[in-house]
Amino acid sequence: PPQPPPPEVPQTNWELVVMTGKAFGSGTDADVFIELTGSSGSFGPHQLPAGPEAFETGCRDTFRLVTPDIGDLKQLTISHNNMGTSPTWFLQGLELTNLDSGVKYVFKVAGWLDVANGLSRTLKPSQQKQQQPAPDAGSSSCSYQLEIKTSDIEGAGTDAGVFIQIGGVLCETEALQLQAAGASNDTIGTRAMFQEGSQDLFILRGLPDVGAFTHLRIGHDGSGQHPAWHLAWVQVVNLTTGVRALFTANTWLDPTIPGSNSWIQLAAGLDPQPAPVTVPQSPRQQQPQQPGQLGGSSGTVGAGRLTRNWAFPSKLGQPGYKVTFHTSNIMSVRG
């Protein structure tokens, strides 16, 4: 007699969105694999069927998956095989939606998958029903001022590409590139930054309001002839709301040092608004401005603080400038 057909195996339909970072060099041409683990089973490792343009810098790649019923999703593992000419990958995050139930799982990564940091990540999901985002969850557009201090110890500077991500109680920004790898002193716009003892100023525009600052991620991509970097601190000011914070590091970002890495997450500390500096005027400072003097918001140098108006409407950071005055060490001899 004919055999009865085998019972149907319950299946689940998924939509997976893979978000590659927008930082310089974030994309990968390696093969990428996904593995799902649930309360009643698992799926994978499964190679994502990606074309040659997938996982490029700034891309959102969408895949459809059909898996056995694995029950409630417990974790996701994503990895690559380190193949190709540029296998290192900065993964911003993933979104996995159960198309049958409408439940969406969000995975935040914002990190490199490479030999130094590991070729795979096992992630726990945050579950949320598909819905409109809360109106206050970082929907406002803000500008941020970043001041980054490189330590003044020997060899502290870096010529690698530097990236930053700002986090707050409402949301966090994407990872943003502050310096393309190989920047030089050829022009003002591409001058070398993050040099030993330097203090670099950036304006970031068109970013979400993250609310009160909670954390900051900063790091480099390991490129250049001297990627190792000793970071002193980062000061962040929300120019729209006035909220400010100081993030203290005082550490090497160098994966060749045991216990160190190319990225670090810093907790926000209080950064009170500095009191205005009052400089007493001498009779010479009360004279009319002479050629060679710099003018500030309240007069010439020495009578007030200089204005800092070097800002561009670009989403990428733009450099500020530090002015250092040296008084001659000559002696006045009177007859």
Side-chain angles (χ1 to χ4, degrees):
Q3 297 293 323
E8 291 187 5
V9 177
Q11 292 183 327
T12 305
N13 296 282
W14 305 89
E15 181 180 83
L16 173 67
V17 179
V18 181
M19 294 166 283
T20 300
K22 295 183 179 180
F24 177 82
S26 292
T28 183
D29 52 7
D31 298 319
V32 175
F33 300 84
I34 196 83
E35 183 174 3
L36 307 180
T37 302
S39 58
S40 59
S42 62
F43 169 74
H46 171 74
Q47 181 178 346
L48 295 179
E53 301 302 320
F55 312 122
E56 295 294 326
T57 299
C59 282
R60 288 174 58 95
D61 297 294
T62 302
F63 303 91
R64 290 294 180 95
L65 305 174
V66 179
T67 73
D69 183 8
I70 60 174
D72 295 331
L73 184 66
K74 298 300 183 182
Q75 66 182 35
L76 175 153
T77 300
I78 189 162
S79 62
H80 67 78
N81 59 6
N82 203 41
M83 301 295 289
T85 57
S86 181
T88 59
W89 186 27
F90 188 90
L91 177 61
Q92 187 67 39
L94 305 102
E95 295 176 354
L96 181 66
T97 303
N98 185 323
L99 297 177
D100 300 323
S101 66
V103 175
K104 181 164 121 180
Y105 302 88
V106 178
F107 304 84
K108 294 183 179 180
V109 183
W112 290 97
L113 274 68
D114 55 19
V115 173
N117 298 286
L119 300 179
S120 68
R121 293 287 181 91
T122 297
L123 308 167
K124 302 293 185 182
S126 59
Q127 185 186 62
Q128 60 184 36
K129 292 287 186 180
Q130 289 184 320
Q131 58 186 8
Q132 295 297 321
D136 295 331
S139 58
S140 302
S141 178
C142 292
S143 297
Y144 296 89
Q145 175 181 288
L146 274 64
E147 202 163 353
I148 301 176
K149 171 67 175 178
T150 299
S151 302
D152 56 3
I153 65 177
E154 184 177 358
T158 182
D159 58 356
V162 172
F163 312 95
I164 199 164
Q165 185 175 27
I166 305 168
V169 296
L170 297 179
C171 64
E172 61 183 11
T173 69
E174 296 177 321
L176 298 173
Q177 179 185 346
L178 296 180
Q179 177 191 11
S184 67
N185 286 306
D186 295 339
T187 66
I188 291 176
T190 58
R191 68 178 183 86
M193 294 177 285
F194 312 116
Q195 300 304 296
E196 181 181 320
S198 71
Q199 200 162 312
D200 298 293
L201 183 70
F202 302 87
I203 303 294
L204 307 179
R205 300 184 184 276
L207 298 180
D209 180 7
V210 302
F213 299 117
T214 57
H215 64 276
L216 176 144
R217 297 186 187 97
I218 187 168
H220 62 79
D221 61 2
S223 62
Q225 297 181 347
H226 187 276
W229 185 29
H230 198 281
L231 173 65
W233 49 261
V234 181
Q235 181 192 71
V236 183
V237 182
N238 186 325
L239 298 177
T240 306
T241 65
V243 174
R244 55 197 298 128
L246 180 67
F247 301 85
T248 303
N250 290 325
T251 189
W252 283 103
L253 300 183
D254 182 2
T256 65
I257 299 177
S260 182
N261 208 329
S262 58
W263 279 82
I264 191 171
Q265 179 166 314
L266 305 172
L270 294 178
D271 183 29
Q273 176 70 34
V277 178
T278 302
V279 181
Q281 291 187 346
S282 69
R284 285 185 299 170
Q285 291 173 324
Q286 295 173 0
Q287 297 174 359
Q289 182 177 352
Q290 300 298 320
Q293 290 181 309
L294 297 177
S297 59
S298 59
T300 60
V301 169
R305 291 182 296 174
L306 294 176
T307 58
R308 290 188 297 184
N309 292 324
W310 190 266
F312 290 82
S314 170
K315 196 169 185 178
L316 293 180
Q318 297 290 344
Y321 292 88
K322 178 180 179 181
V323 180
T324 304
F325 297 91
H326 298 275
T327 303
S328 302
N329 58 350
I330 63 174
M331 186 180 352
S332 176
V333 179
R334 296 186 181 182

